[in-house]
Amino acid sequence: MCFKVSCRQVLSRDIREMDNNNAKYINTVINGKAISAPEDLSVIQALWHSGYPRIKSVGCLEGVCGACCVMIRRNGAPGVSMELGCQVLIEEGMQVVFLAFPTPAKQSYKLEDIKNSWEVQSKFHEIFPEAESCRHCGGCNSTCPKAIDVERAVILATKGRFREAGDLFDECVLCNLCQSACPESIAPNYVGIFSRRVTAHLHTRPSNLINRLEDLRKGELKVIF
Amino acid sequence: MEKSISFSDAIEIYRATKERPLPDVSYENLLEKYHPDYYQDSCVTLNVGVNKGEICHAQLAELLQADARIDEADLAGAPVVDTDLLVIGGGGAGCAAALTAAESGISVMLATKLRLGDSNTIMAEGGIQVSINKNDTPQQHFEDTIKSGHRQVENKLVAEMVMSAPDVVRWLIQQGMQFDLDEYGDLLTRQAGGTSVPRVAYFRDYTGLEMMRVLKEAVRSSSIEVLDYTPTVELLTNEDGHCTGAVLSSLQENRYKLVRAKAVVIATGGIGRLHINNFPTSNHFGATGDGLTLAYRLGAKLRDLDSFQYHPSGLAYPQHLSGSLVTEGVRSAGAYLLNAKGDRFIDELLPRDKVCAAIMRECAEGRGIDAGGGSKGVWLDTPGLELKSPGIFEARFPKLIKLGHKSGADPRKKPLLIYPTLHYQNGGVVIDEHGRTNVKGLYCVGEVSGGIHGRNRLMGNSLLEIICFGRRAGAHIAKNSSRISHGKITIEHLSRLRRELTLANMPMDKKCPILFPDYAKFETDSDYSGLHKNIKDLS
C-alpha cells in the first residue's frame, strides 16, 4: 500500500468526483449564471466547480446549519421551492437562486428575566407581539426545508402551550425562511426556539443530575491521579 | 490491497438478524498496521517555531511553516477598535467563553469566519459525557478518558473537565437546552465506545444542533458584539510578545480591521477540511486549522500534531454524501459492524481508533464491500438493530433516517455502507486549566487546544470540553480584566517568522491561515458571495 500523499495532491473526495472525466454533465442556471457541471454535485459544489468562489451561505454541508437557503425551480415545474443548497443535487434545467443572508430576528430577551413559570405567557406576548396576528396563510409551512408544522407551533405558543410548540421545532436549523415568508413579520423560528428554551429553563429538573451536583457540593467526590 | 466483494453481491448475502456472535478477533498490531496515524512518511519534523525538531503531520506542518497573509502595508489606514475580550470563532467553545465573560460585565467582541454558530458543534450528534448514573463517578469518567487517550493526556485538565461536567449540563439547561429524559424527567444516557458505563446525555441525534441553537440565542440577546464573515488573519503583539489583539478581515467590506483587546480567546476548532491523509471529512466547511497557525506564530506551544481521530462510521455510499457522519449512538444502541460475508469483526464499542483500524483491516484484506468509484466500506447493521429494538430509529435517530432518505435507502431496511471519516484533531495548543497558553494574553479553548483527549477522544467528551473550558476561560479573563490595560499592537512576530523561514530555507509561497478549503476557490479579493468568477479563472 502506498500511503505517501503529496500535500499538493490532497483534495477532497468531492473534488475527485468533480474531476472525473466520465461524469455526465448537467446544465443548470445558478444565480443567473449558466453552469454546466458533473451530475452528483450539490448546488454549492456545482458553483465551485464552475469557478465561482462561494463562501457566503456555505456552512456545515450536512443540512443542519441553515446557511445555504436557495430558491429552486425544477425543469417544467409550475412553482418554486425553498431548500438547502448543500442538500440539493443539480438537475437538468434547474434554476437556482441563493437567498441573501436573511435579516436576523429583532427580538431580544433574557430567560433570567422570566422569574417563574406563571409569567411565561405574558412575557411571550411582550417579546413576540406579532405572534397573535397569524393569518393562517401557510407561507411559513411551505418554505420550511425541514417540513416543520411552523404555523401550528406559533398558534400553540400563543396559547401558552410551549412544550408542544417547542417539540414541533426539534429539527429547526434557524434558516430564517419562515420569517422571510411571514406577512405579519412574525419570526416563527424564534418563537419555536423560545418555546424550547423556556421549557428546559423552567421545567427540566433531572433528579439524577441534581443528586450528583449535591454530592459534588458536599465534596464527596474527588478525582485522584 | 485484496479485491473486495461488490456492493450488489454483498447486499445479496446480507440478512438482517437480531443477534450475531463476535468471532475471535486479533488485536495484534491493529493500530500500528492499519490506523492512519501510523502511515509511513505522513509526518515531518518541524523546522521553525517553538516545536522545532518535533514530529508533525506533513499537511499541518505546511500550514504552521507558511508565510503570513499580511504585512505592514496592509495595516495602514485600517480602523482600530478596542474591546476587553476578543473571541475568535463562533462555535460552542467561543460562545461559552463570550457569554461567561459578558455576564461578568466586560466588553466582548466575537469574530467568526462564517456566521455565528457555523461550526463543528452544530454537527455533533452523539451527546455530552456527564457521570450522573448511580454506578458511575467522576473518577471512572477520568479513567475512561485517559485510557482511551493512551494516557497521553494532561491529567489536571481531564480532572477539571470530569468534575465540572454536571455543572456544565446544569448551565446548558439554564440556557434552555433540552435533553432526552425518561418518564420521571431524569437524563437518559447512552454508552460511548471505550467507556465502562453509559454516560452520554443527549438530545436525539441532534445534540450539537440543540446546543448551538440555544447558545446562538443567548449570544444574540447579550451585549456581545458579533462580527459575521470576519475571519482573523493575524494576531497582534506588544513589545514583550504578549497577545494584544488581532487583524480581522471583513469579507463584507473587503477591508482589514484591527481589534485591540486585553485578552484573545482562540476557539477556531479543527482541521477536517485539510482532508488529512486524503480522507473525506465529517467536519464543517470552515475547519481549516486557522487557530493553530495563528497561535504557533506567536510562540504558543503545540502538542500531538501527528494524531487525528477518524470516526469509524462515515457514510461511504452514495459518493456525494461520503464522509457524512453516522452517530456512534447507533453502535451504542447495539448495531453491529459486518464485513461483506455478514460476519462481525470487532467489538463495536471499543474506542474509535481501534474500531476504525479494524474496518480498514477488513477492507485491506478483501472482506470489505466495494461500491465502485473508489467507495468501499463495511456494513453498519441498522436493520438488525431495528429488529432488536423496533422503533428506535424513529425515536432516537431522526437525522439518520433523513440521511438514509437522501441516499435513497431506509436504514431500517438496508444496512449502511460506512468507512472511517476524518473527524477530530486530537492535539492542539497546550493550555492550562483556565485555557491559558504560554503566550500572555492568549487563550485557546475547544478543539484547537490539546492535552485533554490524548491520542484518541471519546464520544461526548468534546461537547463537554468546549463548554467546560470555554466557561473557565471566559471567567478567568473577566476576573482579571480590570487589572490589565490595552497594549501596543504590532506584527513584529511576523518579522521573526519570515527570518526563521528564510534561514531554514522554507518555501514562502503559501499564505496562511488558509481560511477556506482550496475547492471553494477563495482568493483575498474574491467576491465572497460567488456572483463573479476570480480574475485568474476568467482567462
Side-chain angles (χ1 to χ4, degrees):
Chain A
M1 263 186 278
C2 173
F3 288 130
K4 189 166 181 182
V5 185
S6 146
C7 296
R8 285 278 159 220
Q9 288 168 346
V10 170
L11 295 165
S12 76
R13 189 163 288 199
D14 298 354
I15 298 298
R16 275 183 278 141
E17 271 177 84
M18 289 180 188
D19 292 342
N20 179 355
N21 291 329
N22 301 324
K24 190 180 151 205
Y25 271 62
I26 301 266
N27 299 301
T28 65
V29 177
I30 304 179
N31 292 336
K33 320 281 180 190
I35 281 178
S36 180
E39 61 179 350
D40 262 12
L41 295 192
S42 71
V43 166
I44 291 172
Q45 289 167 336
L47 205 55
W48 288 341
H49 179 270
S50 308
Y52 292 97
R54 183 97 199 177
I55 298 296
K56 196 176 176 182
S57 313
V58 179
C60 69
L61 299 170
E62 265 192 24
V64 291
C65 79
C68 55
C69 301
V70 290
M71 184 157 62
I72 288 192
R73 185 195 291 277
R74 289 187 168 76
N75 200 10
V80 297
S81 58
M82 305 295 175
E83 299 181 38
L84 297 175
C86 68
Q87 304 289 293
V88 182
L89 299 188
I90 51 170
E91 294 168 22
E92 190 65 37
M94 181 186 261
Q95 295 178 55
V96 184
V97 176
F98 276 75
L99 298 171
F101 187 34
T103 33
K106 52 189 180 297
Q107 299 80 11
S108 178
Y109 61 90
K110 287 198 179 301
L111 290 176
E112 304 83 71
D113 295 344
I114 304 170
K115 297 295 176 212
N116 70 61
S117 43
W118 295 96
E119 288 174 14
V120 182
Q121 201 171 356
S122 63
K123 281 280 180 194
F124 171 79
H125 288 293
E126 266 172 46
I127 301 163
F128 298 97
E130 324 79 10
E132 277 185 307
S133 322
C134 174
R135 303 181 193 174
H136 310 279
C137 69
C140 48
N141 285 3
S142 59
T143 59
C144 179
K146 296 287 174 185
I148 294 169
D149 193 345
V150 182
E151 193 180 290
R152 183 150 167 263
V154 171
I155 303 302
L156 287 168
T158 58
K159 291 179 180 163
R161 291 160 70 171
F162 296 108
R163 185 184 297 271
E164 287 164 84
D167 283 351
L168 288 174
F169 264 86
D170 62 352
E171 295 191 18
C172 175
V173 294
L174 290 177
C175 70
N176 287 351
L177 278 173
C178 54
Q179 194 187 343
S180 51
C182 181
E184 292 291 343
S185 299
I186 303 170
N189 49 343
Y190 291 96
V191 168
I193 301 311
F194 173 88
S195 303
R196 296 187 61 76
R197 290 183 77 202
V198 287
T199 303
H201 182 76
L202 294 170
H203 302 291
T204 299
R205 294 292 179 270
S207 66
N208 49 356
L209 176 67
I210 293 166
N211 267 321
R212 184 50 51 96
L213 285 164
E214 193 57 13
D215 294 343
L216 287 164
R217 191 186 64 78
K218 290 184 202 150
E220 286 172 1
L221 292 165
K222 292 215 161 46
V223 172
I224 296 154
F225 55 88
Chain B
M1 194 173 284
E2 302 279 331
K3 196 167 160 26
S4 307
I5 296 168
S6 78
F7 190 91
S8 51
D9 288 351
I11 200 92
E12 280 293 314
I13 300 168
Y14 171 82
R15 292 283 175 275
T17 318
K18 279 189 196 174
E19 298 296 337
R20 291 175 201 258
L22 179 65
D24 279 340
V25 179
S26 160
Y27 295 103
E28 200 190 335
N29 292 332
L30 179 63
L31 289 181
E32 291 79 355
K33 264 177 97 170
Y34 295 101
H35 194 280
D37 279 357
Y38 294 85
Y39 285 179
Q40 279 174 9
D41 303 327
S42 64
C43 288
V44 296
T45 306
L46 289 170
N47 291 322
V48 303
V50 280
N51 287 73
K52 187 173 169 177
E54 290 176 31
I55 287 284
C56 175
H57 193 281
Q59 285 171 263
L60 182 52
E62 201 185 7
L63 303 193
L64 297 179
Q65 306 184 123
D67 193 11
R69 294 183 80 96
I70 56 159
D71 51 39
E72 291 288 351
D74 292 310
L75 305 188
V80 182
V81 286
D82 285 353
T83 181
D84 290 331
L85 165 62
L86 171 67
V87 176
I88 304 169
C95 287
L99 281 168
T100 309
E103 274 163 26
S104 307
I106 66 169
S107 63
V108 180
M109 199 178 266
L110 188 154
T112 172
K113 183 161 66 177
L114 295 161
R115 306 168 315 156
L116 181 67
D118 287 348
S119 59
N120 282 335
T121 304
I122 206 164
M123 301 161 79
E125 298 176 358
I128 178 166
Q129 289 218 21
V130 53
S131 65
I132 42 168
N133 289 333
K134 283 204 182 72
N135 59 350
D136 197 9
T137 59
Q139 184 75 39
Q140 264 172 278
H141 187 175
F142 176 85
E143 301 292 343
D144 286 344
T145 302
I146 63 166
K147 188 174 160 218
S148 161
H150 301 273
R151 306 203 169 264
Q152 305 288 308
V153 302
E154 200 55 57
N155 286 339
K156 197 172 178 195
L157 297 182
V158 180
E160 285 291 349
M161 179 176 81
V162 300
M163 287 295 280
S164 70
D167 194 52
V168 163
V169 174
R170 172 167 64 180
W171 184 78
L172 287 167
I173 291 170
Q174 281 171 340
Q175 302 299 317
M177 178 174 171
Q178 295 197 5
F179 287 89
D180 279 359
L181 306 172
D182 71 10
E183 58 185 311
Y184 304 109
D186 278 359
L187 289 169
L188 288 167
T189 51
R190 53 170 66 129
Q191 182 146 11
T195 59
S196 49
V197 291
R199 188 186 295 128
V200 182
Y202 56 92
F203 175 70
R204 316 235 168 126
D205 51 356
Y206 288 122
T207 316
L209 174 62
E210 171 70 1
M211 181 187 286
M212 203 65 245
R213 279 192 297 232
V214 160
L215 294 178
K216 265 163 85 168
E217 268 294 77
V219 168
R220 215 175 51 75
S221 295
S222 73
S223 61
I224 300 162
E225 185 184 347
V226 177
L227 303 170
D228 282 320
Y229 292 114
T230 310
T232 300
V233 294
E234 199 52 63
L235 296 174
L236 294 164
T237 61
N238 69 4
E239 54 281 305
D240 299 320
H242 300 170
C243 183
T244 49
V247 183
L248 312 183
S249 165
S250 167
L251 298 183
Q252 280 156 309
E253 296 167 35
N254 201 4
R255 71 185 298 187
Y256 292 116
K257 288 178 180 174
L258 307 185
V259 176
R260 187 158 48 192
K262 295 177 183 174
V264 174
V265 171
I266 296 183
T268 51
I271 44 66
R273 289 281 156 185
L274 296 183
H275 299 280
I276 297 283
N277 291 323
N278 214 8
F279 269 73
T281 184
S282 59
N283 278 189
H284 190 270
F285 177 55
T288 52
D290 302 354
L292 291 176
T293 308
L294 297 174
Y296 192 62
R297 278 186 193 150
L298 230 55
K301 179 92 177 150
L302 312 182
R303 57 173 289 165
D304 304 321
L305 299 173
D306 56 339
S307 177
F308 302 92
Q309 179 163 81
Y310 300 81
H311 193 291
S313 50
L315 206 62
Y317 180 85
Q319 270 188 1
H320 67 270
L321 296 173
S322 80
S324 301
L325 194 64
V326 180
T327 173
E328 185 167 316
V330 179
R331 275 176 288 131
S332 165
Y336 296 137
L337 294 174
L338 307 175
N339 61 24
K341 296 170 183 163
D343 295 329
R344 291 176 67 194
F345 52 87
I346 188 80
D347 174 354
E348 289 80 1
L349 285 179
L350 286 177
R352 285 175 175 171
D353 52 353
K354 295 207 171 87
V355 178
C356 159
I359 295 169
M360 296 180 70
R361 177 167 67 185
E362 291 305 294
C363 292
E365 294 181 354
R367 295 183 298 275
I369 296 136
D370 187 348
S375 293
K376 59 181 181 314
V378 298
W379 296 131
L380 178 66
D381 185 12
T382 43
L385 175 60
E386 180 70 14
L387 269 185
K388 265 190 280 192
S389 315
I392 189 166
F393 285 92
E394 209 175 345
R396 296 270 176 262
F397 306 109
K399 188 179 171 196
L400 184 60
I401 293 184
K402 285 232 158 65
L403 184 67
H405 183 70
K406 270 191 300 174
S407 66
D410 186 340
R412 290 166 290 191
K413 302 201 172 94
K414 279 195 174 165
L416 298 170
L417 192 69
I418 56 129
Y419 193 76
T421 181
L422 179 59
H423 191 58
Y424 193 80
Q425 158 197 307
N426 290 325
V429 184
V430 174
I431 58 166
D432 73 0
E433 69 274 23
H434 301 296
R436 281 185 295 191
T437 69
N438 58 307
V439 176
K440 211 165 175 201
L442 182 65
Y443 293 67
C444 286
V445 291
E447 190 172 348
V448 73
S449 70
I452 293 158
H453 310 293
R455 299 185 66 82
N456 180 59
R457 178 173 68 76
L458 288 172
M459 155 171 140
N461 264 351
S462 58
L463 286 188
L464 172 57
E465 173 202 357
I466 58 175
I467 304 301
C468 167
F469 289 98
R471 287 176 71 207
R472 293 184 70 84
H476 191 263
I477 290 162
K479 195 173 134 211
N480 293 297
S481 194
S482 62
R483 287 192 270 119
I484 301 169
S485 47
H486 284 104
K488 204 174 145 194
I489 47 172
T490 77
I491 50 170
E492 273 303 304
H493 62 292
L494 294 185
S495 314
R496 191 184 65 218
L497 168 79
R498 287 172 175 141
R499 200 160 51 237
E500 275 195 70
L501 287 171
T502 311
L503 285 173
N505 279 324
M506 303 296 291
M508 303 275 280
D509 52 340
K510 198 173 175 92
K511 309 269 187 209
C512 281
I514 60 170
L515 306 183
F516 300 103
D518 52 4
Y519 42 86
K521 311 262 168 88
F522 176 79
E523 306 280 334
T524 310
D525 52 356
S526 280
D527 159 29
Y528 81 124
S529 57
L531 296 175
H532 305 283
K533 290 191 183 188
N534 287 330
I535 302 296
K536 70 176 185 185
D537 287 331
L538 288 174
S539 53

CSV table of all heavy atoms in Angstrom, one decimal, chain B residues 145-176:
chain,number,residue,atom,x,y,z
B,145,THR,N,-11.4,8.3,30.1
B,145,THR,CA,-10.9,9.3,29.2
B,145,THR,C,-9.4,9.1,29.0
B,145,THR,O,-8.9,9.1,27.9
B,145,THR,CB,-11.1,10.7,29.8
B,145,THR,OG1,-12.5,10.8,30.0
B,145,THR,CG2,-10.6,11.8,28.8
B,146,ILE,N,-8.6,8.9,30.1
B,146,ILE,CA,-7.2,8.8,29.9
B,146,ILE,C,-6.8,7.4,29.3
B,146,ILE,O,-5.8,7.4,28.5
B,146,ILE,CB,-6.4,9.0,31.2
B,146,ILE,CG1,-6.7,8.0,32.3
B,146,ILE,CG2,-6.6,10.4,31.8
B,146,ILE,CD1,-5.6,8.0,33.4
B,147,LYS,N,-7.6,6.4,29.6
B,147,LYS,CA,-7.3,5.1,29.0
B,147,LYS,C,-7.5,5.2,27.4
B,147,LYS,O,-6.6,4.7,26.6
B,147,LYS,CB,-8.2,4.0,29.6
B,147,LYS,CG,-7.8,2.6,29.1
B,147,LYS,CD,-8.7,1.6,29.9
B,147,LYS,CE,-8.6,0.3,29.1
B,147,LYS,NZ,-9.9,-0.4,29.1
B,148,SER,N,-8.6,5.8,27.0
B,148,SER,CA,-8.9,5.9,25.6
B,148,SER,C,-7.8,6.8,24.9
B,148,SER,O,-7.5,6.5,23.8
B,148,SER,CB,-10.3,6.5,25.5
B,148,SER,OG,-10.4,7.0,24.2
B,149,GLY,N,-7.3,7.8,25.6
B,149,GLY,CA,-6.3,8.7,25.0
B,149,GLY,C,-4.9,8.1,25.1
B,149,GLY,O,-3.9,8.8,24.9
B,150,HIS,N,-4.8,6.8,25.4
B,150,HIS,CA,-3.5,6.1,25.6
B,150,HIS,C,-2.6,6.8,26.6
B,150,HIS,O,-1.4,6.9,26.5
B,150,HIS,CB,-2.8,6.0,24.2
B,150,HIS,CG,-3.6,5.3,23.2
B,150,HIS,ND1,-3.5,3.9,23.0
B,150,HIS,CD2,-4.5,5.7,22.3
B,150,HIS,CE1,-4.4,3.5,22.1
B,150,HIS,NE2,-5.0,4.6,21.6
B,151,ARG,N,-3.2,7.4,27.6
B,151,ARG,CA,-2.5,8.0,28.7
B,151,ARG,C,-1.7,9.2,28.4
B,151,ARG,O,-0.9,9.7,29.2
B,151,ARG,CB,-1.7,7.0,29.6
B,151,ARG,CG,-2.6,5.8,30.0
B,151,ARG,CD,-2.1,5.1,31.2
B,151,ARG,NE,-3.1,4.2,31.6
B,151,ARG,CZ,-4.0,4.4,32.6
B,151,ARG,NH1,-4.0,5.6,33.2
B,151,ARG,NH2,-5.0,3.6,32.9
B,152,GLN,N,-1.8,9.7,27.1
B,152,GLN,CA,-1.0,10.8,26.7
B,152,GLN,C,-1.8,12.1,26.9
B,152,GLN,O,-2.0,12.9,26.0
B,152,GLN,CB,-0.7,10.7,25.2
B,152,GLN,CG,0.0,9.5,24.8
B,152,GLN,CD,1.4,9.4,25.3
B,152,GLN,OE1,2.2,10.4,25.0
B,152,GLN,NE2,1.8,8.4,26.0
B,153,VAL,N,-2.3,12.3,28.2
B,153,VAL,CA,-3.2,13.4,28.5
B,153,VAL,C,-2.6,14.2,29.6
B,153,VAL,O,-1.7,13.8,30.3
B,153,VAL,CB,-4.6,13.0,28.9
B,153,VAL,CG1,-5.3,12.1,27.8
B,153,VAL,CG2,-4.6,12.2,30.2
B,154,GLU,N,-3.1,15.5,29.7
B,154,GLU,CA,-2.8,16.3,30.9
B,154,GLU,C,-3.8,16.0,31.9
B,154,GLU,O,-4.9,16.4,31.9
B,154,GLU,CB,-2.8,17.8,30.4
B,154,GLU,CG,-2.1,18.7,31.2
B,154,GLU,CD,-0.6,18.3,31.4
B,154,GLU,OE1,0.1,18.2,30.4
B,154,GLU,OE2,-0.2,18.2,32.6
B,155,ASN,N,-3.4,15.2,32.9
B,155,ASN,CA,-4.3,14.7,34.0
B,155,ASN,C,-5.1,15.8,34.6
B,155,ASN,O,-6.3,15.7,34.9
B,155,ASN,CB,-3.5,14.0,35.1
B,155,ASN,CG,-3.0,12.6,34.6
B,155,ASN,OD1,-3.6,12.1,33.6
B,155,ASN,ND2,-2.0,12.1,35.2
B,156,LYS,N,-4.5,16.9,34.9
B,156,LYS,CA,-5.2,18.0,35.6
B,156,LYS,C,-6.3,18.6,34.8
B,156,LYS,O,-7.4,18.8,35.3
B,156,LYS,CB,-4.2,19.1,35.9
B,156,LYS,CG,-4.6,20.1,36.9
B,156,LYS,CD,-3.6,21.1,37.3
B,156,LYS,CE,-4.2,22.0,38.4
B,156,LYS,NZ,-3.3,23.2,38.6
B,157,LEU,N,-6.1,18.7,33.5
B,157,LEU,CA,-7.2,19.2,32.6
B,157,LEU,C,-8.4,18.2,32.6
B,157,LEU,O,-9.5,18.6,32.7
B,157,LEU,CB,-6.7,19.4,31.2
B,157,LEU,CG,-5.6,20.4,31.0
B,157,LEU,CD1,-5.3,20.5,29.5
B,157,LEU,CD2,-6.0,21.8,31.5
B,158,VAL,N,-8.1,16.9,32.5
B,158,VAL,CA,-9.1,15.9,32.4
B,158,VAL,C,-9.9,15.9,33.8
B,158,VAL,O,-11.1,15.8,33.8
B,158,VAL,CB,-8.5,14.5,32.1
B,158,VAL,CG1,-9.7,13.5,32.1
B,158,VAL,CG2,-7.8,14.5,30.8
B,159,ALA,N,-9.2,16.0,34.9
B,159,ALA,CA,-9.8,16.0,36.2
B,159,ALA,C,-10.8,17.2,36.3
B,159,ALA,O,-11.9,17.1,36.8
B,159,ALA,CB,-8.8,16.0,37.3
B,160,GLU,N,-10.3,18.4,35.9
B,160,GLU,CA,-11.2,19.6,35.9
B,160,GLU,C,-12.4,19.3,35.1
B,160,GLU,O,-13.5,19.7,35.5
B,160,GLU,CB,-10.4,20.8,35.3
B,160,GLU,CG,-9.4,21.4,36.2
B,160,GLU,CD,-9.9,22.1,37.4
B,160,GLU,OE1,-11.2,22.3,37.4
B,160,GLU,OE2,-9.2,22.4,38.3
B,161,MET,N,-12.2,18.7,33.9
B,161,MET,CA,-13.3,18.5,33.0
B,161,MET,C,-14.4,17.6,33.6
B,161,MET,O,-15.6,17.9,33.6
B,161,MET,CB,-12.8,18.0,31.7
B,161,MET,CG,-13.9,17.8,30.6
B,161,MET,SD,-13.3,17.3,29.0
B,161,MET,CE,-13.0,15.5,29.3
B,162,VAL,N,-13.9,16.4,34.1
B,162,VAL,CA,-14.9,15.5,34.5
B,162,VAL,C,-15.6,15.9,35.8
B,162,VAL,O,-16.8,15.7,36.0
B,162,VAL,CB,-14.3,14.1,34.8
B,162,VAL,CG1,-13.7,13.5,33.5
B,162,VAL,CG2,-13.3,14.1,35.9
B,163,MET,N,-14.9,16.7,36.7
B,163,MET,CA,-15.5,17.2,37.9
B,163,MET,C,-16.6,18.3,37.6
B,163,MET,O,-17.6,18.4,38.3
B,163,MET,CB,-14.5,17.7,38.8
B,163,MET,CG,-13.6,16.7,39.5
B,163,MET,SD,-14.6,15.6,40.7
B,163,MET,CE,-14.7,16.7,42.1
B,164,SER,N,-16.3,19.0,36.5
B,164,SER,CA,-17.2,20.1,36.2
B,164,SER,C,-18.4,19.7,35.3
B,164,SER,O,-19.3,20.5,35.1
B,164,SER,CB,-16.5,21.3,35.5
B,164,SER,OG,-16.1,20.9,34.2
B,165,ALA,N,-18.4,18.4,34.8
B,165,ALA,CA,-19.4,18.0,33.8
B,165,ALA,C,-20.8,18.2,34.3
B,165,ALA,O,-21.6,18.8,33.6
B,165,ALA,CB,-19.1,16.6,33.4
B,166,PRO,N,-21.2,17.8,35.6
B,166,PRO,CA,-22.6,18.0,36.0
B,166,PRO,C,-23.0,19.5,36.0
B,166,PRO,O,-24.1,19.9,35.6
B,166,PRO,CB,-22.6,17.5,37.4
B,166,PRO,CG,-21.5,16.4,37.4
B,166,PRO,CD,-20.4,17.0,36.6
B,167,ASP,N,-22.0,20.4,36.4
B,167,ASP,CA,-22.4,21.8,36.4
B,167,ASP,C,-22.5,22.4,34.9
B,167,ASP,O,-23.2,23.3,34.7
B,167,ASP,CB,-21.3,22.6,37.2
B,167,ASP,CG,-21.8,24.0,37.5
B,167,ASP,OD1,-22.9,24.1,38.0
B,167,ASP,OD2,-21.1,25.0,37.1
B,168,VAL,N,-21.7,21.8,34.0
B,168,VAL,CA,-21.8,22.2,32.6
B,168,VAL,C,-23.2,21.9,32.1
B,168,VAL,O,-23.8,22.7,31.4
B,168,VAL,CB,-20.7,21.4,31.8
B,168,VAL,CG1,-21.1,21.5,30.3
B,168,VAL,CG2,-19.3,22.0,32.0
B,169,VAL,N,-23.7,20.7,32.4
B,169,VAL,CA,-25.0,20.3,31.9
B,169,VAL,C,-26.1,21.2,32.6
B,169,VAL,O,-27.0,21.6,31.9
B,169,VAL,CB,-25.3,18.8,32.2
B,169,VAL,CG1,-26.7,18.4,31.8
B,169,VAL,CG2,-24.3,18.0,31.3
B,170,ARG,N,-25.9,21.5,33.9
B,170,ARG,CA,-26.9,22.4,34.5
B,170,ARG,C,-26.9,23.7,33.8
B,170,ARG,O,-27.9,24.3,33.5
B,170,ARG,CB,-26.5,22.6,36.0
B,170,ARG,CG,-27.4,23.7,36.6
B,170,ARG,CD,-27.4,23.7,38.1
B,170,ARG,NE,-26.1,24.0,38.6
B,170,ARG,CZ,-25.8,24.1,39.9
B,170,ARG,NH1,-26.7,23.9,40.8
B,170,ARG,NH2,-24.6,24.4,40.3
B,171,TRP,N,-25.7,24.3,33.5
B,171,TRP,CA,-25.6,25.6,32.8
B,171,TRP,C,-26.3,25.5,31.5
B,171,TRP,O,-27.0,26.5,31.1
B,171,TRP,CB,-24.1,25.9,32.7
B,171,TRP,CG,-23.8,27.3,32.1
B,171,TRP,CD1,-23.9,28.5,32.7
B,171,TRP,CD2,-23.5,27.6,30.7
B,171,TRP,NE1,-23.6,29.5,31.8
B,171,TRP,CE2,-23.4,29.0,30.6
B,171,TRP,CE3,-23.3,26.8,29.6
B,171,TRP,CZ2,-23.0,29.6,29.4
B,171,TRP,CZ3,-22.9,27.4,28.4
B,171,TRP,CH2,-22.8,28.8,28.3
B,172,LEU,N,-26.1,24.4,30.8
B,172,LEU,CA,-26.7,24.3,29.4
B,172,LEU,C,-28.3,24.3,29.6
B,172,LEU,O,-29.0,24.9,28.8
B,172,LEU,CB,-26.3,23.0,28.7
B,172,LEU,CG,-24.8,23.1,28.2
B,172,LEU,CD1,-24.3,21.7,27.8
B,172,LEU,CD2,-24.7,24.1,27.0
B,173,ILE,N,-28.8,23.6,30.6
B,173,ILE,CA,-30.2,23.6,30.8
B,173,ILE,C,-30.7,25.0,31.2
B,173,ILE,O,-31.7,25.4,30.7
B,173,ILE,CB,-30.6,22.5,31.9
B,173,ILE,CG1,-30.3,21.1,31.4
B,173,ILE,CG2,-32.0,22.7,32.4
B,173,ILE,CD1,-30.4,20.0,32.5
B,174,GLN,N,-29.9,25.7,32.0
B,174,GLN,CA,-30.3,27.1,32.3
B,174,GLN,C,-30.3,28.0,31.1
B,174,GLN,O,-31.1,28.9,31.0
B,174,GLN,CB,-29.3,27.6,33.4
B,174,GLN,CG,-29.6,27.1,34.8
B,174,GLN,CD,-28.6,27.5,35.8
B,174,GLN,OE1,-27.4,27.8,35.4
B,174,GLN,NE2,-28.9,27.5,37.0
B,175,GLN,N,-29.5,27.7,30.1
B,175,GLN,CA,-29.5,28.4,28.9
B,175,GLN,C,-30.7,28.0,28.0
B,175,GLN,O,-31.0,28.6,27.0
B,175,GLN,CB,-28.2,28.2,28.1
B,175,GLN,CG,-26.9,28.6,28.8
B,175,GLN,CD,-26.9,30.0,29.1
B,175,GLN,OE1,-27.2,30.9,28.3
B,175,GLN,NE2,-26.4,30.3,30.3
B,176,GLY,N,-31.4,26.9,28.4
B,176,GLY,CA,-32.6,26.5,27.7
B,176,GLY,C,-32.3,25.3,26.8
B,176,GLY,O,-33.1,25.1,25.9
